[in-house]
Amino acid sequence: MKNLKESRFGKIIKVSGPLVVAENMAGAKMYELVKIGFSKLVGEVIKLEKDCASIQCYEDTSGLTIGDPVLKTGSPLSVQLGPGLFSQIFDGIQRPLKVISELSKNVYVPRGVDVPSLDLQREWQYKPLDIKPGTVVQGGDVIGTVAENDLFKEHRILLPPGAKGKVVEAQPAGNYNVMTPIIEIDENGTIKKYNMSHFWPVRIARPCLEKLPGTEPLLTGERVLDALFPSVLGGTCAIPGAFGCGKTCISQALSKYSNSEAIVYVGCGERGNEMAEVLKDFPQLYTEIKGIKYNIMQRTILVANTSNMPVAAREASIYTGITLAEYIRDMGYNVSMMADSTSRWAEALREISGRLAEMPADSGYPAYLASKLSQFYERAGKVTCLGSPSRKGSVSIVGAVSPPGGDFSDPVTVNTLYNVQVFWGLDKKLAQRTHFPSVNWLTSYSKYENTLENFFNKFDKEFVECKNDIKKLLQEEDDLTEVVQLIGKDSLSEDQKLILEIAKIIKNDFLQQNSFTEYDYTCPLEKTTGMMKCIMTYYHLANKILKEGNPYDNKKSFAYIYSKTKEEFIELTQMKFINPKKSKEEITKLFAGQKKRIEEKFKDIFKFKQMI
Ligand SMILES: Nc1ncnc2c1ncn2[C@@H]1O[C@H](COP(=O)(O)OP(=O)(O)O)[C@@H](O)[C@H]1O
Ligand SMILES: [Mg+2]
């Protein structure tokens, strides 16, 4: 054992793509951060065997040679959490890309570049809470606030989890940078100083007091999702879909318009131009709160690890993203994390596993794929945060999955579905017909529907019934389409014809939503509800006539009803053009008026007084 003497340096014995094997690594721990070679490339220990360590390198390994040193840092891969995170774009290991490009004057990230994640010089206006010397404080306590920007007005400064002791000295309000000590705590006789930022290892979930069930919806602004397959704040959603089905569009729409207080958008292994698009688009988008416009970048953190960046860092980008999200959750906010796409991360795992010569499981993915995915999705949820004052926060995860060829039986999709509660399955056929968002209404599901019933009932007492009716209608339409294909449309009864016509409106004018238009880039819940109510009111009234009249009588045919209510029917197809920027009250009023017109028309024409 003598020759296993611990030193801070190991020596490379093998380089295979992103995998580096080094000897003389005794004392290294799993997931310890190491600096490889003379240019100090960042890597993480992923396997230990005797005194050899297998390391996944988060930077391009070309040029490394056998014998190069590997420095053990003694600490795990961590992110720095504190003021200055928002509006930033980081790479997979939380290096600020803008700072790097200014430093290196190059479009590429130079290897081994070591810059702090947060701006260490910038001073923030710190407002402490009233914490007197002698007070006992603990990890998770809010000790003060910083106005990070106009939109994210209250960046709450937290004591890192694990801290506990009596306050010795607390700094007064003032301008400090993230490295200035602002509080001194006596922790069992040792004095510890804390500043406005702290580090947290990315692979360890940040602790919370208690996990809670989600009760409020994650409103996405996409009608098909909000109405038919809603998720909760703190929920887990998967968007599987083949290339070009609209995964990225949905993830981006959610980042722009969902009701989250903060967004962490992780571009993982997808094309670089998509990330460039995000960078170009987001700064031009504004959200309006109480009549004032705020740039949405102010509540957004981007983590970019595009397809031309090192493969292993995809994993780091996912962990970095979720840790950032948890940190904001711990302040007491609702955060959404988008990961586009988790399949690319799984592919990186497969590549590394292959190079480690591990026994492959399904489709060559490592056997631990399932546990990796579940560890990731488990970090979502609504929680009671640690420390005082008492507060709740949530992390919602929306993971895009890109199964090859759109085959949902691929291991990544299957294992993702074990872990998520909401499945927004994208359909290649719909995408080909340019029916966007191409969410398949027959296969998608949400397990939060029952939980959310309470919320929706309060929002509008007809909401749940309308939603259920729409789902039923779509299902019936699917069955009828089969019949029509077999024996033709003429064989259908009049009420079945009505179902087909209304289903057409639901599909074309309700579920379809072109995110590139002025009127449909988002859809407030009031508009979604109003549209559903008008469509279903028309359906129920028309159906009543058909059911209660004689179906063989010409005058009770759908064609007859249509000829009499043409205006109202056409108005149903125009509802989506209502501007989503209108106030909630105005939208509700508009739809109430339209619903009334439909009811009046049916009453007048069919002299069907008792029916309404
Ligand atoms: N909601 C939408 N509204 C309009 N067009 C869409 C929508 N979703 C997707 N598209 C179209 O489909 C294309 C591919 O979408 P994208 O999100 O990049 O697919 P994926 O990420 O699944 O490969 C987009 O460039 C756009 O033209
Ligand atoms: Mg995409």
Side-chain angles (χ1 to χ4, degrees):
M1 290 298 277
K2 261 192 192 141
N3 54 355
L4 291 185
K5 193 173 150 271
E6 283 184 27
S7 110
R8 289 188 63 212
F9 289 97
K11 220 166 65 181
I12 296 183
I13 52 171
K14 183 177 156 190
V15 179
S16 156
L19 184 77
V20 175
V21 184
E23 62 176 8
N24 201 15
M25 293 292 286
K29 292 189 196 65
M30 275 298 275
Y31 301 122
E32 179 171 336
L33 188 74
V34 293
K35 300 281 174 90
I36 309 161
F38 294 102
S39 42
K40 297 209 169 126
L41 309 183
V42 180
E44 205 182 6
V45 175
I46 51 168
K47 189 174 158 191
L48 286 165
E49 219 169 7
K50 295 193 184 146
D51 81 331
C52 280
S54 302
I55 299 158
Q56 60 177 352
C57 182
Y58 294 145
E59 299 181 68
D60 184 5
T61 54
S62 52
L64 288 181
T65 41
I66 292 174
D68 279 2
V70 174
L71 171 69
K72 288 179 264 177
T73 64
S75 46
L77 177 65
S78 304
V79 286
Q80 190 179 13
L81 305 164
L85 287 171
F86 288 96
S87 317
Q88 287 277 15
I89 170 161
F90 295 112
D91 76 350
I93 44 179
Q94 213 207 3
R95 293 182 300 194
L97 291 177
K98 205 161 157 223
V99 179
I100 294 177
S101 83
E102 279 162 12
L103 273 181
S104 66
K105 312 237 175 323
N106 196 332
V107 288
Y108 297 105
V109 181
R111 296 191 312 155
V113 62
D114 191 9
V115 284
S117 306
L118 298 177
D119 187 342
L120 304 185
Q121 260 80 50
R122 179 164 175 187
E123 292 200 333
W124 301 93
Q125 209 176 12
Y126 171 70
K127 280 194 216 137
L129 297 195
D130 187 21
I131 301 177
K132 301 231 158 35
T135 320
V136 176
V137 287
Q138 57 167 342
D141 280 358
V142 180
I143 51 172
T145 60
V146 160
E148 172 136 3
N149 56 44
D150 299 342
L151 183 56
F152 201 78
K153 284 205 181 80
E154 215 179 283
H155 189 121
R156 298 178 184 143
I157 306 298
L158 308 175
L159 271 187
K164 190 174 175 134
K166 257 188 198 162
V167 177
V168 180
E169 197 188 341
Q171 292 298 327
N175 290 344
Y176 307 108
N177 65 34
V178 291
M179 299 311 280
T180 328
I182 47 162
I183 196 161
E184 275 179 33
I185 297 175
D186 181 349
E187 294 187 3
N188 286 334
T190 45
I191 303 290
K192 282 217 171 156
K193 293 179 179 177
Y194 292 98
N195 53 41
M196 285 197 273
S197 74
H198 63 263
F199 287 86
W200 188 262
V202 295
R203 287 185 188 266
I204 298 175
R206 286 175 64 88
C208 61
L209 208 57
E210 185 186 18
K211 284 225 167 185
L212 305 166
T215 45
E216 286 153 72
L218 169 75
L219 295 175
T220 62
E222 299 286 319
R223 282 190 292 273
V224 55
L225 307 182
D226 289 346
L228 303 187
F229 313 108
S231 176
V232 292
L233 289 173
T236 44
C237 321
I239 321 179
F243 178 75
C245 283
K247 299 180 292 296
T248 305
C249 275
I250 293 186
S251 311
Q252 291 187 3
L254 258 68
S255 318
K256 291 173 191 164
Y257 307 113
S258 71
N259 61 340
S260 320
E261 284 153 304
I263 302 285
V264 179
Y265 187 95
V266 182
C268 175
E270 292 286 298
R271 285 161 294 158
N273 59 341
E274 281 177 0
M275 218 55 210
E277 217 170 76
V278 171
L279 278 178
K280 203 175 88 235
D281 278 5
F282 281 30
Q284 286 158 17
L285 292 169
Y286 293 87
T287 162
E288 217 174 291
I289 300 170
K290 292 189 187 139
I292 306 173
K293 278 180 156 189
Y294 300 100
N295 191 303
I296 63 159
M297 268 311 271
Q298 298 190 331
R299 60 157 200 193
T300 310
I301 307 174
L302 301 174
V303 180
N305 185 265
T306 50
S307 52
N308 56 347
M309 289 161 116
V311 173
R314 289 179 193 170
E315 166 148 276
S317 67
I318 295 274
Y319 283 103
T320 298
I322 189 74
T323 313
L324 293 172
E326 282 176 342
Y327 170 65
I328 305 163
R329 170 202 75 185
D330 288 348
M331 292 182 212
Y333 294 112
N334 295 310
V335 192
S336 288
M337 172 183 170
M338 320 292 158
D340 185 14
S341 142
T342 54
S343 292
R344 306 281 165 255
W345 165 36
E347 282 160 17
L349 286 176
R350 176 165 68 180
E351 170 159 357
I352 302 278
S353 161
R355 289 180 192 270
L356 284 171
E358 289 170 340
M359 181 76 86
D362 212 358
S363 303
Y365 288 102
Y368 47 78
L369 173 70
S371 76
K372 284 255 178 185
L373 284 170
S374 61
Q375 278 164 16
F376 166 59
Y377 283 104
E378 257 172 25
R379 290 174 76 168
K382 181 174 168 183
V383 303
T384 310
C385 310
L386 275 189
S388 69
S390 162
R391 57 203 188 277
K392 293 188 174 72
S394 71
V395 173
S396 316
I397 298 184
V398 179
V401 187
S402 11
D407 172 14
F408 287 178
S409 63
D410 109 296
V412 187
T413 316
V414 171
N415 284 306
T416 302
L417 291 190
Y418 285 143
N419 291 299
V420 298
Q421 304 293 316
V422 181
F423 169 65
W424 295 326
L426 304 188
D427 190 324
K428 189 136 204 158
K429 283 201 191 110
L430 289 176
Q432 278 164 350
R433 272 190 263 147
T434 65
H435 175 120
F436 287 116
S438 64
V439 176
N440 184 320
W441 51 87
L442 296 173
T443 54
S444 301
Y445 62 81
S446 162
K447 292 190 194 158
Y448 295 121
E449 277 182 68
N450 288 344
T451 329
L452 286 174
E453 230 163 65
N454 217 345
F455 172 91
F456 285 124
N457 279 335
K458 265 193 213 140
F459 181 79
D460 189 314
K461 55 186 187 317
E462 290 171 53
F463 186 98
V464 176
E465 195 187 325
C466 273
K467 175 196 81 172
N468 290 339
D469 286 348
I470 285 185
K471 279 194 173 172
K472 207 168 107 209
L473 253 168
L474 289 169
Q475 185 65 54
E476 282 172 351
E477 186 246 10
D478 189 54
D479 301 340
L480 288 176
T481 321
E482 262 174 47
V483 177
V484 171
Q485 278 164 356
L486 282 176
I487 45 179
K489 210 171 176 176
D490 295 339
S491 60
L492 296 183
S493 63
E494 288 300 319
D495 58 333
Q496 288 173 332
K497 281 184 194 158
L498 174 69
I499 291 178
L500 289 190
E501 289 300 326
I502 297 295
K504 202 151 111 198
I505 288 198
I506 295 175
K507 288 192 297 182
N508 296 347
D509 302 303
F510 179 69
L511 297 181
Q512 270 196 43
Q513 190 180 341
N514 186 340
S515 53
F516 298 106
T517 52
E518 278 287 301
Y519 53 88
D520 249 354
Y521 64 93
T522 186
C523 185
L525 193 59
E526 287 76 14
K527 184 173 163 186
T528 304
T529 315
M531 287 173 83
M532 286 204 294
K533 276 161 69 172
C534 288
I535 297 174
M536 290 327 285
T537 304
Y538 185 97
Y539 170 74
H540 285 308
L541 292 177
N543 196 35
K544 199 166 171 101
I545 294 170
L546 294 177
K547 281 267 158 70
E548 292 184 5
N550 178 354
Y552 301 105
D553 179 348
N554 236 356
K555 295 220 149 167
K556 294 282 183 284
S557 70
F558 171 70
Y560 175 70
I561 297 177
Y562 175 72
S563 70
K564 291 288 182 189
T565 58
K566 208 166 169 181
E567 247 169 59
E568 284 67 29
F569 191 84
I570 289 173
E571 211 181 348
L572 291 181
T573 64
Q574 306 297 314
M575 295 184 294
K576 67 169 148 193
F577 298 115
I578 287 175
N579 190 343
K581 284 206 179 94
K582 283 188 196 296
S583 75
K584 291 173 180 174
E585 293 75 27
E586 207 177 336
I587 292 178
T588 312
K589 213 168 121 197
L590 272 173
F591 282 108
Q594 184 171 348
K595 184 169 174 244
K596 187 133 197 125
R597 281 198 296 282
I598 298 172
E599 287 170 345
E600 296 288 327
K601 188 64 163 276
F602 272 90
K603 208 152 98 183
D604 278 0
I605 294 184
F606 300 100
K607 311 272 178 276
F608 227 42
K609 289 224 168 50
Q610 74 283 16
M611 73 185 195
I612 293 166

mmCIF file of all heavy atoms in Angstrom, residues 23 110 150 191 223 311 447 491 564 593:
data_model
loop_
_atom_site.group_PDB
_atom_site.id
_atom_site.type_symbol
_atom_site.label_atom_id
_atom_site.label_comp_id
_atom_site.label_asym_id
_atom_site.label_seq_id
_atom_site.Cartn_x
_atom_site.Cartn_y
_atom_site.Cartn_z
ATOM 1 N N GLU A 23 -3.860 7.418 -13.157
ATOM 2 C CA GLU A 23 -3.425 6.595 -12.024
ATOM 3 C C GLU A 23 -2.893 7.506 -10.922
ATOM 4 O O GLU A 23 -2.837 8.720 -11.089
ATOM 5 C CB GLU A 23 -2.347 5.600 -12.471
ATOM 6 C CG GLU A 23 -1.106 6.286 -12.976
ATOM 7 C CD GLU A 23 0.006 5.304 -13.321
ATOM 8 O OE1 GLU A 23 -0.240 4.097 -13.317
ATOM 9 O OE2 GLU A 23 1.111 5.789 -13.599
ATOM 10 N N PRO A 110 -12.315 28.960 -25.039
ATOM 11 C CA PRO A 110 -10.959 28.395 -24.981
ATOM 12 C C PRO A 110 -10.893 27.317 -23.897
ATOM 13 O O PRO A 110 -11.639 27.390 -22.920
ATOM 14 C CB PRO A 110 -10.085 29.591 -24.612
ATOM 15 C CG PRO A 110 -10.981 30.718 -24.334
ATOM 16 C CD PRO A 110 -12.393 30.320 -24.543
ATOM 17 N N ASP A 150 -35.211 44.772 -12.339
ATOM 18 C CA ASP A 150 -36.556 45.342 -12.210
ATOM 19 C C ASP A 150 -37.623 44.280 -12.024
ATOM 20 O O ASP A 150 -38.622 44.479 -11.356
ATOM 21 C CB ASP A 150 -36.919 46.142 -13.462
ATOM 22 C CG ASP A 150 -35.964 47.271 -13.670
ATOM 23 O OD1 ASP A 150 -35.270 47.613 -12.689
ATOM 24 O OD2 ASP A 150 -35.881 47.794 -14.791
ATOM 25 N N ILE A 191 -15.952 30.692 14.566
ATOM 26 C CA ILE A 191 -16.643 31.809 13.915
ATOM 27 C C ILE A 191 -16.603 31.588 12.404
ATOM 28 O O ILE A 191 -15.534 31.380 11.826
ATOM 29 C CB ILE A 191 -15.948 33.144 14.251
ATOM 30 C CG1 ILE A 191 -15.881 33.366 15.760
ATOM 31 C CG2 ILE A 191 -16.640 34.307 13.548
ATOM 32 C CD1 ILE A 191 -17.211 33.645 16.424
ATOM 33 N N ARG A 223 -53.271 26.263 -25.430
ATOM 34 C CA ARG A 223 -54.633 25.812 -25.109
ATOM 35 C C ARG A 223 -54.719 24.315 -24.869
ATOM 36 O O ARG A 223 -55.328 23.846 -23.910
ATOM 37 C CB ARG A 223 -55.601 26.191 -26.229
ATOM 38 C CG ARG A 223 -56.015 27.631 -26.213
ATOM 39 C CD ARG A 223 -57.140 27.873 -27.177
ATOM 40 N NE ARG A 223 -56.717 27.728 -28.552
ATOM 41 C CZ ARG A 223 -56.197 28.717 -29.274
ATOM 42 N NH1 ARG A 223 -56.011 29.907 -28.737
ATOM 43 N NH2 ARG A 223 -55.843 28.517 -30.526
ATOM 44 N N VAL A 311 -19.380 16.491 -25.185
ATOM 45 C CA VAL A 311 -20.502 15.598 -24.909
ATOM 46 C C VAL A 311 -20.750 15.417 -23.413
ATOM 47 O O VAL A 311 -21.878 15.501 -22.935
ATOM 48 C CB VAL A 311 -20.209 14.224 -25.552
ATOM 49 C CG1 VAL A 311 -21.256 13.217 -25.154
ATOM 50 C CG2 VAL A 311 -20.159 14.371 -27.057
ATOM 51 N N LYS A 447 -51.638 13.296 -14.981
ATOM 52 C CA LYS A 447 -52.135 12.654 -13.758
ATOM 53 C C LYS A 447 -52.507 13.685 -12.700
ATOM 54 O O LYS A 447 -52.779 13.338 -11.574
ATOM 55 C CB LYS A 447 -51.071 11.698 -13.215
ATOM 56 C CG LYS A 447 -50.853 10.495 -14.107
ATOM 57 C CD LYS A 447 -49.981 9.465 -13.418
ATOM 58 C CE LYS A 447 -49.493 8.433 -14.415
ATOM 59 N NZ LYS A 447 -48.288 7.745 -13.941
ATOM 60 N N SER A 491 -73.431 6.809 -43.940
ATOM 61 C CA SER A 491 -73.983 5.865 -42.970
ATOM 62 C C SER A 491 -74.152 6.496 -41.593
ATOM 63 O O SER A 491 -74.760 5.906 -40.705
ATOM 64 C CB SER A 491 -73.049 4.666 -42.848
ATOM 65 O OG SER A 491 -71.791 5.124 -42.423
ATOM 66 N N LYS A 564 -79.314 27.507 -40.389
ATOM 67 C CA LYS A 564 -79.983 28.513 -39.557
ATOM 68 C C LYS A 564 -79.022 29.238 -38.605
ATOM 69 O O LYS A 564 -79.336 30.310 -38.106
ATOM 70 C CB LYS A 564 -81.076 27.833 -38.706
ATOM 71 C CG LYS A 564 -82.235 27.330 -39.520
ATOM 72 C CD LYS A 564 -83.051 28.513 -40.006
ATOM 73 C CE LYS A 564 -84.269 28.053 -40.795
ATOM 74 N NZ LYS A 564 -84.918 29.207 -41.443
ATOM 75 N N GLY A 593 -70.617 37.265 -24.073
ATOM 76 C CA GLY A 593 -71.506 37.811 -25.093
ATOM 77 C C GLY A 593 -71.735 36.818 -26.211
ATOM 78 O O GLY A 593 -72.870 36.588 -26.666
#
